[in-house]
Amino acid sequence: MNYNHSHRDGSTIILRVMCAIVFLTFSFLWLYFFQADVLAVAQHVLSHGKTHYNGLLGAVLITLVLWTLQVVVAVLLKLSKRCYAFTFLPSMLMLGLLSDIDTDIDRHISLGAWWWGFPLILIFWGVLVLLARVYQSVEPQEPGGIFSRRVWVNMLVMALMMIGVVSVANTQAAFHYRAHIETSLLRGDFEEALRVGERSLESDASLTMLRVYALARQGELGERLFHYPVSLKGIDVLPLGSSSVRTVIYPADSIYRFLGAVPKSSVKTTAQYLSLLEENDKATPAVRDYQLCAMLIDKDIDGFARAIGRYYEVNDSLPRHYREALVLYHHLRSHPVLVLHDEVMETDYSDFRAMEDQLTEKSERKVRVGEKFYGTYWYYYYYL
């Protein structure tokens, strides 16, 4: 019996199993936990909204297809020993291509540098394969097993390829947040939509617009809006007549129906749309908060002070940001049109101003005040 041949077969199986486990685990976790939402956006755009991406099923199917590709490549190339991990490069390359989804895929579709990068990498890989085949024919026999040098050389190559996938992927936080929020909105999970990126300062105009909507659906727009970074103007709180904000997979008509009615083509601006809803008695209660918060976003506290009495009774039961804005307005204007009596809020504002007065250096003041007062309208008004 040829025990040496049996030993080589056993060590080869261990090597292949370990590489397969690493690849399958990485591919599934990457696709399911990091790429699922942006792949849903990509599929929606590419299919013109006719198909829907399932995160779990998609991660399983894509991983199995890429693994099948690797098996075919391994059979054809017959690489082994320290070079076996090279058979995973085409699959990793495809995974990288799937991960590099353009932030503006709904506006234009382009492969970017992949037009020349993909074939160039394959050519380089082909040269490496030729050299590897020559090397493995003279490579000395080594003991097999999980802790052998051969296994860990392959693990290093696998790790480098995984780093490559991560490095070429679109990891822009705001893009991933938007994709996840939109998929959450499609499920009607507004709480999940508001949890997305809630501790991050990464934001953009479309992300803020989606959060405004999710907060309004939860009845918390005037209570929590400035807990998040606000990256738009008041006219962009709706995707109407603006190139700055948009939805991709969540239908904008769902937002308009929530507010009262889908706008006619002649309606071009958010202000015009909200005013028409009120004039035609179609406005839902959320419209008042859209109106008031748009003013606060633009730091129009005078307009806010004149308008709030039309929608709310001015007392200490107002949503938090409205009370903060009225206290600020009272302290900034010599002849305010209305005054809110809220001792707790007045005390908090006094603490805010006192902390500012204690810190003379501008950058330090912004950081230190933000540590305690980020999320208040006062901090937004003065620093953001």
Side-chain angles (χ1 to χ4, degrees):
M1 182 180 293
N2 190 340
Y3 292 100
N4 190 42
H5 177 72
S6 175
H7 169 76
R8 288 199 300 272
D9 288 346
S11 61
T12 299
I13 291 173
I14 290 173
L15 172 61
R16 292 180 177 179
V17 168
M18 287 194 64
C19 286
I21 289 174
V22 169
F23 174 76
L24 292 172
T25 302
F26 170 72
S27 178
F28 175 79
L29 295 179
W30 176 257
L31 292 168
Y32 183 67
F33 288 104
F34 189 75
Q35 287 294 117
D37 298 307
V38 295
L39 286 174
V41 169
Q43 180 162 324
H44 177 87
V45 172
L46 296 175
S47 69
H48 303 287
K50 295 179 181 178
T51 61
H52 174 70
Y53 180 80
N54 181 286
L56 177 60
L57 183 61
V60 171
L61 290 178
I62 293 172
T63 298
L64 290 178
V65 169
L66 295 179
W67 186 37
T68 301
L69 172 62
Q70 182 275 326
V71 171
V72 172
V73 171
V75 170
L76 293 175
L77 298 183
K78 295 181 173 59
L79 290 178
S80 61
K81 301 179 182 178
R82 299 188 188 187
C83 306
Y84 180 71
F86 287 158
T87 62
F88 285 86
L89 189 136
S91 298
M92 288 288 196
L93 195 57
M94 291 300 299
L95 188 58
L97 178 61
L98 287 172
S99 302
D100 188 18
I101 297 173
D102 197 312
T103 304
D104 294 320
I105 189 174
D106 58 314
R107 290 178 171 173
H108 58 83
I109 299 173
S110 172
L111 290 178
W114 286 103
W115 282 113
W116 57 267
F118 196 95
L120 188 64
I121 293 172
L122 285 180
I123 292 171
F124 179 71
W125 170 73
V127 174
L128 285 179
V129 167
L130 291 176
L131 294 175
R133 286 175 63 87
V134 172
Y135 172 72
Q136 76 178 15
S137 65
V138 297
E139 182 182 356
Q141 292 297 328
E142 296 177 351
I146 295 177
F147 299 103
S148 67
R149 180 181 297 180
R150 179 185 304 171
V151 169
W152 291 107
V153 168
N154 279 275
M155 291 299 101
L156 176 61
V157 174
M158 295 293 291
L160 291 174
M161 288 189 290
M162 289 187 288
I163 292 171
V165 170
V166 175
S167 66
V168 301
N170 184 344
T171 55
Q172 187 182 81
F175 176 50
H176 282 263
Y177 294 157
R178 278 195 280 123
H180 190 55
I181 286 177
E182 290 202 49
T183 55
S184 298
L185 293 178
L186 283 174
R187 298 192 304 269
D189 191 348
F190 301 106
E191 291 185 3
E192 175 62 19
L194 292 173
R195 279 195 292 268
V196 178
E198 64 180 342
R199 299 182 183 275
S200 172
L201 296 179
E202 295 285 342
S203 185
D204 63 24
S206 294
L207 176 58
T208 302
M209 179 271 296
L210 290 168
R211 283 173 170 159
V212 167
Y213 171 64
L215 285 166
R217 290 298 298 257
Q218 295 293 87
E220 298 182 323
L221 187 52
E223 191 72 28
R224 295 176 55 195
L225 173 59
F226 298 102
H227 287 211
Y228 300 91
V230 175
S231 304
L232 46 59
K233 296 179 180 179
I235 60 173
D236 294 326
V237 293
L238 289 172
L240 182 64
S242 170
S243 60
S244 300
V245 298
R246 65 195 189 277
T247 63
V248 180
I249 60 176
Y250 189 75
D253 284 359
S254 295
I255 300 176
Y256 300 133
R257 290 192 181 95
F258 168 69
L259 293 173
V262 177
K264 296 180 179 179
S265 58
S266 58
V267 179
K268 301 300 182 182
T269 67
T270 294
Q272 181 188 10
Y273 167 67
L274 295 176
S275 295
L276 285 173
L277 286 178
E278 292 181 326
E279 291 172 8
N280 295 307
D281 294 323
K282 293 183 178 180
T284 65
V287 169
R288 63 185 183 182
D289 292 315
Y290 265 80
Q291 294 271 40
L292 294 172
C293 285
M295 296 176 192
L296 293 184
I297 289 171
D298 291 336
K299 302 182 181 180
D300 180 14
I301 58 172
D302 293 292
F304 172 82
R306 289 192 298 270
I308 192 170
R310 299 202 309 267
Y311 303 115
Y312 287 96
E313 183 179 348
V314 179
N315 54 41
D316 58 7
S317 65
L318 284 170
R320 177 183 174 183
H321 293 320
Y322 299 167
R323 287 182 286 133
E324 291 169 342
L326 287 176
V327 167
L328 174 64
Y329 167 75
H330 177 227
H331 284 270
L332 292 181
R333 299 293 181 260
S334 302
H335 304 288
V337 296
L338 59 81
V339 176
L340 171 69
H341 299 285
D342 188 327
E343 294 184 5
V344 174
M345 196 61 68
E346 286 285 351
T347 301
D348 289 343
Y349 182 74
S350 297
D351 293 342
F352 172 80
R353 298 300 299 179
M355 179 174 284
E356 282 194 313
D357 293 339
Q358 292 171 3
L359 302 166
T360 56
E361 207 280 316
K362 186 176 181 180
S363 59
E364 180 190 7
R365 184 168 65 242
K366 182 177 181 179
V367 173
R368 293 283 301 280
V369 173
E371 289 174 353
K372 184 174 181 180
F373 290 98
Y374 183 88
T376 65
Y377 183 67
W378 310 320
Y379 188 80
Y380 171 81
Y381 187 88
Y382 283 107
Y383 295 102
L384 302 175

